[in-house]
């Protein structure tokens, strides 16, 4: 199985900050990576697919980059609604696997 | 607008079989470009992909659960289902059904249903 690693598990930031959330794959997954945002009691919501493509309806302050084994989700200017948990997921090969998540907290 | 909705018991006894159904509305489960999957999330933990099914009945399961999982589809009802046998407390989780495309991630999710394994 491909292991997806997200570190740190918790990140503290303030409204207006630029934030980067890293994700690492245990082997190359090309650009077969997605990012999701999950709020308490809700299902995950797709933000980014194929590492850098913004899902329809997602604010442009979200962006993704990377390929191979190193990926990053960037939020250019944090808004109050962005405090949530973020997961990366590889869909390069079975079984699909998720990172353990990075919780973005208010500083 | 595509919508997915899970249904099934919220409480299952240890060693019994967990059964959930996902009903798809606003679109056809017989799409040739999509798979229909199950993902679970234990309380306070991360996400685990369980498996998926294509409208033709082709399935793929997570090897970690493969011996206990069956996913089936009923195209006439626009539904697909999950059965997980011999459950234990570790199977207590929020269970989500979701859609994903070929080489594309999960773009539509149901709201999730909490299944607790307890006697």
């Amino acid at each position: 199985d491909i292991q997806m690693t997200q570190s740190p598990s918790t990140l503290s930031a303030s409204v207006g900050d630029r934030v980067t959330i890293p994700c690492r794959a245990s082997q190359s997954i090309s650009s077969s990576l997605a990012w999701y945002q999950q709020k308490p009691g809700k299902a995950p919501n797709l933000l980014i697919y194929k590492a850098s493509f913004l899902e329809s309806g997602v604010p442009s302050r979200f962006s993704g980059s990377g390929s191979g084994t190193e990926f990053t989700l960037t939020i250019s200017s944090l808004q109050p609604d962005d405090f949530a948990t973020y997961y990366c997921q590889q869909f390069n090969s079975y079984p699909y696997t998720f990172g353990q998540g990075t919780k973005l907290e208010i500083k | 607008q595509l919508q997915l909705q899970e249904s099934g018991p919220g409480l299952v006894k240890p060693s019994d079989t967990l059964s959930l159904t996902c009903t798809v509305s606003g679109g056809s489960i017989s799409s040739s470009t999509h798979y229909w999957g199950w993902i679970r999330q234990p309380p306070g933990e991360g996400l685990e992909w369980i498996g998926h099914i294509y409208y033709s009945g082709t399935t793929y399961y997570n090897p970690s659960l493969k011996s206990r999982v069956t996913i089936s589809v009923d195209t006439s009802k626009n539904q697909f289902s999950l059965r997980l046998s011999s459950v234990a407390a570790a199977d207590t989780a929020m269970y989500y059904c979701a859609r994903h495309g070929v080489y594309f991630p999960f773009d539509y999710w149901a709201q999730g249903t909490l299944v607790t394994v307890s006697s």
Side-chain angles (χ1 to χ4, degrees):
Chain A
D1 298 6
I2 297 175
Q3 305 303 316
M4 305 301 295
T5 302
Q6 291 184 247
S7 182
S9 57
T10 304
L11 194 58
S12 297
S14 301
V15 173
D17 284 353
R18 179 182 178 89
V19 170
T20 58
I21 298 173
C23 173
R24 174 176 292 176
S26 61
Q27 64 190 74
S28 177
I29 58 170
S30 185
S31 296
S32 300
L33 184 102
W35 288 98
Y36 301 87
Q37 177 192 68
Q38 187 179 34
K39 296 182 178 179
K42 299 293 187 181
N45 181 50
L46 178 64
L47 300 175
I48 301 285
Y49 62 94
K50 293 184 181 180
S52 61
F53 290 81
L54 193 68
E55 175 70 348
S56 176
V58 175
S60 58
R61 61 182 180 273
F62 291 92
S63 64
S65 63
S67 66
T69 61
E70 303 285 340
F71 301 87
T72 301
L73 174 70
T74 299
I75 310 172
S76 60
S77 178
L78 267 177
Q79 299 303 301
D81 191 50
D82 300 337
F83 291 96
T85 300
Y86 293 86
Y87 293 93
C88 60
Q89 179 230 335
Q90 66 83 16
F91 52 97
N92 183 73
S93 62
Y94 296 126
Y96 295 157
T97 46
F98 294 84
Q100 71 270 40
T102 294
K103 185 177 182 180
L104 191 50
E105 294 186 331
I106 300 174
K107 185 183 288 184
Chain B
Q1 174 79 349
L2 191 76
Q3 291 188 321
L4 293 85
Q5 177 68 56
E6 305 102 342
S7 58
L11 181 64
V12 181
K13 289 182 168 54
S15 78
D16 281 358
T17 296
L18 178 160
S19 295
L20 296 173
T21 295
C22 184
T23 300
V24 179
S25 59
S28 175
I29 204 168
S30 298
S31 165
S32 61
T33 55
H34 294 99
Y35 290 88
W36 307 90
W38 291 94
I39 302 101
R40 69 179 184 178
Q41 184 173 35
E45 298 186 24
L47 299 157
E48 179 181 33
W49 178 73
I50 298 170
H52 69 210
I53 191 164
Y54 193 58
Y55 78 95
S56 63
T58 300
T59 54
Y60 198 95
Y61 303 136
N62 192 325
S64 68
L65 297 168
K66 187 175 182 178
S67 63
R68 299 194 291 133
V69 171
T70 303
I71 298 176
S72 58
V73 65
D74 186 338
T75 56
S76 67
K77 295 182 179 179
N78 231 30
Q79 294 177 334
F80 62 107
S81 299
L82 169 71
R83 287 174 57 87
L84 181 66
S85 64
S86 305
V87 297
D91 295 310
T92 293
M94 186 72 78
Y95 284 76
Y96 297 100
C97 59
R99 182 189 87 165
H100 74 91
V102 178
Y103 298 110
F104 195 86
F106 299 98
D107 56 356
Y108 284 92
W109 296 66
Q111 64 183 19
T113 188
L114 178 63
V115 178
T116 301
V117 178
S118 175
S119 56

